Amino acid sequence: MSFSNENTAAHHLHALLRGVRDSGMDNHAAGWCKVLDAEWGSRDFARRHSEVVTLLQMTIRQLDALPERSRLRCERYVNAWWTAVMQPAINWSDTNRPTTGIIDEDKLDHLESTAELISGNLVGSVAAPRSADLDEMARQCHEWIDLLTVMDEEEINGPLRDGLISQIRHLIWLIENVDLFGGARVAEEASTVIGSLTQTGATLVNVQPDNANRWKTAFLSLVAACMVFNQAVPIFQESITTGEAIVKEITGVVGSLQKDE
């Protein structure tokens, strides 16, 4: 298994801003296009830059997990990072604005220092995964696509199924682009997918026995893959057994609530 100490959202936000700043382009739009490998005005550019905004949002949120003195010091630079990503007051295509002006060097350095603080305080969590190996998570995502595709309307509501497939496909896309957006972004999206699957699984009715078994196995396998990625530790049978107990507990609570309605 491969490991990473630079897997936070802040690390990858820093790398992206550094890439734009050092791109040598004569305008910000061209710099972002080069770094994101997408054409200006395209759907792909919008999708990729939206993920940069998400990295910024994650970084800002994770500051709250730092010790107070570190948090207060880092928060002084939040507006500078936001301005670098959004550039709200300029024309991105203005050729009189070379990419070296996107952010000051010292503010970029503070972003890198913030990334190290987040990594040191949150390592082994969704915010700072230990591992860089996503092969198993990707395999489990494709297993989920296969399962959801074969389930019919009697087993799962069509729009609900389509929404889950869309979420999982986005997770697969993030895995494929992990070098750009990082492992923490993958881990966060995986947590969102697991939450959606948990809620959906607790409300399913009329599921064919084979599909019900596949659902439980696929759910626990995806949870295990995420745990391995975040913590870089093997998953033993006791962990799977614990996972099964948690799933039963969640299902029981949901069932009780439904009976009370």
Side-chain angles (χ1 to χ4, degrees), residues 53-91:
V53 177
T54 300
L55 294 179
L56 173 63
Q57 185 270 333
M58 290 171 63
T59 299
I60 294 171
R61 173 161 43 84
Q62 289 159 9
L63 295 183
D64 288 334
L66 299 180
E68 184 176 8
R69 288 184 62 184
S70 297
R71 175 180 60 79
L72 292 173
R73 186 170 65 251
C74 295
E75 284 179 343
R76 297 175 195 152
Y77 302 94
V78 165
N79 188 63
W81 304 335
W82 176 83
T83 300
V85 172
M86 305 303 294
Q87 294 295 327
I90 71 165
N91 179 350

Side-chain angles (χ1 to χ4, degrees), residues 35 44 55 61 70 130 136 144 152 207 220 231 247 249:
V35 169
D44 200 33
L55 294 179
R61 173 161 43 84
S70 297
R130 291 180 183 273
E136 181 59 23
W144 269 108
D152 59 34
V207 181
L220 295 174
Q231 300 174 18
V247 173
E249 217 173 295

Side-chain angles (χ1 to χ4, degrees), residues 221-243:
S221 297
L222 180 58
V223 171
C226 291
M227 290 175 65
V228 170
F229 178 65
N230 292 343
Q231 300 174 18
V233 295
I235 298 297
F236 298 103
Q237 183 58 43
E238 304 91 89
S239 302
I240 299 297
T241 302
T242 301

Side-chain angles (χ1 to χ4, degrees), residues 25 27-34 38 40 45 91-94 99:
M25 298 292 105
N27 65 83
H28 292 189
W32 277 112
C33 288
K34 181 177 180 179
W40 178 252
F45 182 91
N91 179 350
W92 284 33
S93 299
D94 186 349
T99 54

Side-chain angles (χ1 to χ4, degrees), residues 13 24-25 34 94 100 145 185 187 191 193 201 208 211 214 228:
L13 179 61
M25 298 292 105
K34 181 177 180 179
D94 186 349
T100 51
I145 296 292
R185 180 66 189 98
S191 293
V193 168
Q208 297 296 320
N211 285 339
R214 283 186 68 188
V228 170

Side-chain angles (χ1 to χ4, degrees), residues 116-188:
E116 295 302 320
L117 286 169
I118 291 172
S119 180
N121 282 272
L122 300 177
V123 64
S125 71
V126 170
R130 291 180 183 273
S131 176
D133 187 351
L134 286 162
D135 289 347
E136 181 59 23
M137 191 187 297
R139 193 179 73 79
Q140 294 304 327
C141 286
H142 287 291
E143 172 64 25
W144 269 108
I145 296 292
D146 290 343
L147 172 57
L148 291 167
T149 300
V150 301
M151 295 179 73
D152 59 34
E153 292 271 356
E154 292 183 359
E155 296 179 285
I156 183 172
N157 178 270
L160 191 59
R161 178 192 60 208
D162 294 343
L164 288 172
I165 290 174
S166 176
Q167 277 188 276
I168 296 168
R169 283 179 175 158
H170 186 60
L171 176 54
I172 293 170
W173 181 81
L174 286 170
I175 292 172
E176 292 170 348
N177 288 277
V178 67
D179 290 342
L180 203 57
F181 305 117
R185 180 66 189 98
V186 171
E188 174 155 294

